Amino acid sequence: MENPRAKLPIGVFDSGIGGISVLAEIVKILPKEEFIYFADTLHAPYGGKPEDVVRALAMKAAEFVSSVGIKCLVVACNTATGAAINEIRSLYDFPVVGMEPAVKPAVELGLSGKILVMATPLTLKGKKFNELICHYKHRSEIIPLPCPGLVEIIEHGRTCGREIEDYLSHLFSFIDKEAISAIVLGCTHYVLIKKEIVKVMGKKISVIDGNYGTARHLKTILQKEQLLNNRVVEKPEIPLKANIKFYISENGKEVIRRCRQLLQNEGIVCESEFSHCG
Ligand code: DGL
């Protein structure tokens, strides 16, 4: 029997537009679902703030998204997950899915070089990430690379061009590029500049993110809980039509335009509504 909650939307939140890279993967895997996307742009970026501040912001974001009425929550932010996932899980009776830098899949590639993990300063300082590194450090050499200021550039829509290239060139000037065989994108914003990262690295390299894995994991959980939405949709075709309701914590028409554009780049058009919820 179908769970009565199955028709409710899936809630997704991030500090800003980064979580759209996760949402795009979820829409592709679960085209029958409806979504709420909350971008906490008023408080972005999270990654340079103290952990207790981010924990409070993430809990507030979760509270807002859940108040709209959802059947499960995706914390599409590595930084918020590291700071608050346990606290969020303890408050709600629906499934809560978080993100962590995809170190496991990178190690399992079995490449001979080092693994570079790009993430926000807070993610890399956090207990969760350091436990993850401890677990895998015997199998690969893992190099954490904090990227302060990178989320701000992406959040302003400058996902390609001179500014981002200069930022990355400077960042990579501190590492031995030849020794690196894989890069883990441990922040959902960085997935939006994957091409620039490869370009500035200037060599063939595996770039791994956790988005597809998170979408698969979410599908497994929804299946297990009998929470999959079985509504009839037109045969999924490109462009995929997604039903997404956006909420932004500041009055940001420009943010919403960017979210829609990013989804469109992934072959997704949205029948969407937008609300400001300061
Ligand atoms: N997308 C967030 C993450 O995955 C960015 C955090 C921030 O706002 O600094 O960590």
mmCIF file of all heavy atoms in Angstrom, residues 85-105:
data_model
loop_
_atom_site.group_PDB
_atom_site.id
_atom_site.type_symbol
_atom_site.label_atom_id
_atom_site.label_comp_id
_atom_site.label_asym_id
_atom_site.label_seq_id
_atom_site.Cartn_x
_atom_site.Cartn_y
_atom_site.Cartn_z
ATOM 1 N N ILE A 85 24.063 17.486 10.790
ATOM 2 C CA ILE A 85 23.191 16.405 10.326
ATOM 3 C C ILE A 85 22.593 15.591 11.488
ATOM 4 O O ILE A 85 21.418 15.219 11.446
ATOM 5 C CB ILE A 85 23.908 15.489 9.296
ATOM 6 C CG1 ILE A 85 22.903 14.642 8.520
ATOM 7 C CG2 ILE A 85 24.954 14.574 9.944
ATOM 8 C CD1 ILE A 85 22.185 15.336 7.447
ATOM 9 N N ASN A 86 23.377 15.331 12.525
ATOM 10 C CA ASN A 86 22.857 14.521 13.638
ATOM 11 C C ASN A 86 21.721 15.250 14.347
ATOM 12 O O ASN A 86 20.688 14.649 14.672
ATOM 13 C CB ASN A 86 23.956 14.181 14.647
ATOM 14 C CG ASN A 86 25.019 13.292 14.025
ATOM 15 O OD1 ASN A 86 24.755 12.619 13.019
ATOM 16 N ND2 ASN A 86 26.228 13.308 14.591
ATOM 17 N N GLU A 87 21.924 16.555 14.546
ATOM 18 C CA GLU A 87 20.901 17.351 15.235
ATOM 19 C C GLU A 87 19.628 17.402 14.392
ATOM 20 O O GLU A 87 18.523 17.280 14.918
ATOM 21 C CB GLU A 87 21.417 18.775 15.499
ATOM 22 C CG GLU A 87 22.492 18.880 16.558
ATOM 23 C CD GLU A 87 23.880 18.438 16.100
ATOM 24 O OE1 GLU A 87 24.056 18.100 14.909
ATOM 25 O OE2 GLU A 87 24.784 18.420 16.958
ATOM 26 N N ILE A 88 19.784 17.578 13.080
ATOM 27 C CA ILE A 88 18.586 17.648 12.213
ATOM 28 C C ILE A 88 17.870 16.294 12.257
ATOM 29 O O ILE A 88 16.648 16.237 12.427
ATOM 30 C CB ILE A 88 18.977 18.041 10.764
ATOM 31 C CG1 ILE A 88 19.519 19.467 10.732
ATOM 32 C CG2 ILE A 88 17.771 17.903 9.820
ATOM 33 C CD1 ILE A 88 20.078 19.924 9.388
ATOM 34 N N ARG A 89 18.625 15.202 12.126
ATOM 35 C CA ARG A 89 17.989 13.865 12.128
ATOM 36 C C ARG A 89 17.216 13.617 13.423
ATOM 37 O O ARG A 89 16.163 12.985 13.401
ATOM 38 C CB ARG A 89 19.052 12.775 11.966
ATOM 39 C CG ARG A 89 19.530 12.667 10.547
ATOM 40 C CD ARG A 89 20.134 11.302 10.247
ATOM 41 N NE ARG A 89 20.497 11.251 8.841
ATOM 42 C CZ ARG A 89 21.738 11.194 8.376
ATOM 43 N NH1 ARG A 89 22.766 11.142 9.207
ATOM 44 N NH2 ARG A 89 21.962 11.176 7.077
ATOM 45 N N SER A 90 17.768 14.133 14.530
ATOM 46 C CA SER A 90 17.118 13.830 15.810
ATOM 47 C C SER A 90 15.772 14.557 15.952
ATOM 48 O O SER A 90 14.968 14.218 16.809
ATOM 49 C CB SER A 90 18.047 14.204 16.973
ATOM 50 O OG SER A 90 18.130 15.609 17.056
ATOM 51 N N LEU A 91 15.534 15.573 15.109
ATOM 52 C CA LEU A 91 14.317 16.382 15.263
ATOM 53 C C LEU A 91 13.139 15.933 14.415
ATOM 54 O O LEU A 91 12.015 16.322 14.663
ATOM 55 C CB LEU A 91 14.620 17.843 14.910
ATOM 56 C CG LEU A 91 15.499 18.613 15.892
ATOM 57 C CD1 LEU A 91 15.786 20.010 15.356
ATOM 58 C CD2 LEU A 91 14.812 18.717 17.250
ATOM 59 N N TYR A 92 13.403 15.149 13.361
ATOM 60 C CA TYR A 92 12.324 14.844 12.415
ATOM 61 C C TYR A 92 12.124 13.345 12.244
ATOM 62 O O TYR A 92 13.081 12.559 12.366
ATOM 63 C CB TYR A 92 12.620 15.504 11.057
ATOM 64 C CG TYR A 92 12.774 16.999 11.193
ATOM 65 C CD1 TYR A 92 14.043 17.588 11.204
ATOM 66 C CD2 TYR A 92 11.662 17.814 11.383
ATOM 67 C CE1 TYR A 92 14.192 18.962 11.389
ATOM 68 C CE2 TYR A 92 11.802 19.191 11.573
ATOM 69 C CZ TYR A 92 13.068 19.745 11.571
ATOM 70 O OH TYR A 92 13.199 21.095 11.768
ATOM 71 N N ASP A 93 10.882 12.993 11.911
ATOM 72 C CA ASP A 93 10.621 11.559 11.741
ATOM 73 C C ASP A 93 10.684 11.141 10.269
ATOM 74 O O ASP A 93 10.515 9.985 9.944
ATOM 75 C CB ASP A 93 9.276 11.162 12.384
ATOM 76 C CG ASP A 93 8.123 11.946 11.800
ATOM 77 O OD1 ASP A 93 8.374 12.777 10.899
ATOM 78 O OD2 ASP A 93 6.977 11.736 12.236
ATOM 79 N N PHE A 94 10.977 12.097 9.364
ATOM 80 C CA PHE A 94 11.158 11.708 7.965
ATOM 81 C C PHE A 94 12.655 11.470 7.684
ATOM 82 O O PHE A 94 13.512 11.920 8.455
ATOM 83 C CB PHE A 94 10.572 12.764 7.008
ATOM 84 C CG PHE A 94 10.979 14.196 7.315
ATOM 85 C CD1 PHE A 94 12.299 14.622 7.159
ATOM 86 C CD2 PHE A 94 10.039 15.111 7.752
ATOM 87 C CE1 PHE A 94 12.674 15.928 7.425
ATOM 88 C CE2 PHE A 94 10.404 16.432 8.025
ATOM 89 C CZ PHE A 94 11.721 16.832 7.861
ATOM 90 N N PRO A 95 12.967 10.746 6.593
ATOM 91 C CA PRO A 95 14.386 10.498 6.302
ATOM 92 C C PRO A 95 15.140 11.798 5.977
ATOM 93 O O PRO A 95 14.599 12.672 5.295
ATOM 94 C CB PRO A 95 14.349 9.588 5.066
ATOM 95 C CG PRO A 95 12.964 9.060 4.971
ATOM 96 C CD PRO A 95 12.068 10.063 5.636
ATOM 97 N N VAL A 96 16.362 11.902 6.485
ATOM 98 C CA VAL A 96 17.220 13.060 6.210
ATOM 99 C C VAL A 96 18.516 12.542 5.575
ATOM 100 O O VAL A 96 19.228 11.735 6.175
ATOM 101 C CB VAL A 96 17.532 13.840 7.508
ATOM 102 C CG1 VAL A 96 18.452 15.027 7.203
ATOM 103 C CG2 VAL A 96 16.251 14.322 8.195
ATOM 104 N N VAL A 97 18.768 13.001 4.354
ATOM 105 C CA VAL A 97 19.957 12.549 3.621
ATOM 106 C C VAL A 97 20.972 13.692 3.591
ATOM 107 O O VAL A 97 20.618 14.819 3.257
ATOM 108 C CB VAL A 97 19.561 12.154 2.168
ATOM 109 C CG1 VAL A 97 20.783 11.839 1.326
ATOM 110 C CG2 VAL A 97 18.600 10.970 2.190
ATOM 111 N N GLY A 98 22.216 13.393 3.944
ATOM 112 C CA GLY A 98 23.258 14.432 3.943
ATOM 113 C C GLY A 98 24.301 14.174 2.870
ATOM 114 O O GLY A 98 24.181 13.231 2.083
ATOM 115 N N MET A 99 25.302 15.040 2.824
ATOM 116 C CA MET A 99 26.387 14.904 1.837
ATOM 117 C C MET A 99 27.712 14.824 2.578
ATOM 118 O O MET A 99 27.881 15.475 3.600
ATOM 119 C CB MET A 99 26.497 16.160 0.960
ATOM 120 C CG MET A 99 25.264 16.683 0.331
ATOM 121 S SD MET A 99 24.884 15.991 -1.270
ATOM 122 C CE MET A 99 26.373 15.979 -2.200
ATOM 123 N N GLU A 100 28.655 14.076 2.020
ATOM 124 C CA GLU A 100 30.016 14.174 2.539
ATOM 125 C C GLU A 100 30.966 14.083 1.350
ATOM 126 O O GLU A 100 30.590 13.509 0.319
ATOM 127 C CB GLU A 100 30.322 13.082 3.573
ATOM 128 C CG GLU A 100 30.397 11.694 3.010
ATOM 129 C CD GLU A 100 30.785 10.648 4.043
ATOM 130 O OE1 GLU A 100 30.754 10.918 5.248
ATOM 131 O OE2 GLU A 100 31.132 9.544 3.593
ATOM 132 N N PRO A 101 32.165 14.670 1.460
ATOM 133 C CA PRO A 101 33.092 14.596 0.334
ATOM 134 C C PRO A 101 33.282 13.133 -0.101
ATOM 135 O O PRO A 101 33.466 12.250 0.741
ATOM 136 C CB PRO A 101 34.379 15.196 0.909
ATOM 137 C CG PRO A 101 33.906 16.139 1.986
ATOM 138 C CD PRO A 101 32.697 15.451 2.591
ATOM 139 N N ALA A 102 33.227 12.909 -1.416
ATOM 140 C CA ALA A 102 33.217 11.537 -1.951
ATOM 141 C C ALA A 102 34.611 10.896 -1.940
ATOM 142 O O ALA A 102 35.149 10.485 -2.982
ATOM 143 C CB ALA A 102 32.620 11.548 -3.356
ATOM 144 N N VAL A 103 35.187 10.815 -0.739
ATOM 145 C CA VAL A 103 36.529 10.240 -0.585
ATOM 146 C C VAL A 103 36.499 8.731 -0.879
ATOM 147 O O VAL A 103 37.400 8.199 -1.542
ATOM 148 C CB VAL A 103 37.065 10.522 0.847
ATOM 149 C CG1 VAL A 103 38.336 9.755 1.139
ATOM 150 C CG2 VAL A 103 37.293 12.020 1.032
ATOM 151 N N LYS A 104 35.453 8.056 -0.427
ATOM 152 C CA LYS A 104 35.375 6.599 -0.606
ATOM 153 C C LYS A 104 35.440 6.224 -2.099
ATOM 154 O O LYS A 104 36.329 5.447 -2.490
ATOM 155 C CB LYS A 104 34.093 6.085 0.058
ATOM 156 C CG LYS A 104 33.882 4.594 -0.043
ATOM 157 C CD LYS A 104 32.657 4.205 0.787
ATOM 158 C CE LYS A 104 32.491 2.707 0.873
ATOM 159 N NZ LYS A 104 31.665 2.160 -0.170
ATOM 160 N N PRO A 105 34.537 6.785 -2.951
ATOM 161 C CA PRO A 105 34.647 6.434 -4.371
ATOM 162 C C PRO A 105 35.991 6.805 -4.983
ATOM 163 O O PRO A 105 36.489 6.099 -5.879
ATOM 164 C CB PRO A 105 33.512 7.208 -5.045
ATOM 165 C CG PRO A 105 32.771 7.922 -3.996
ATOM 166 C CD PRO A 105 33.358 7.617 -2.667
#
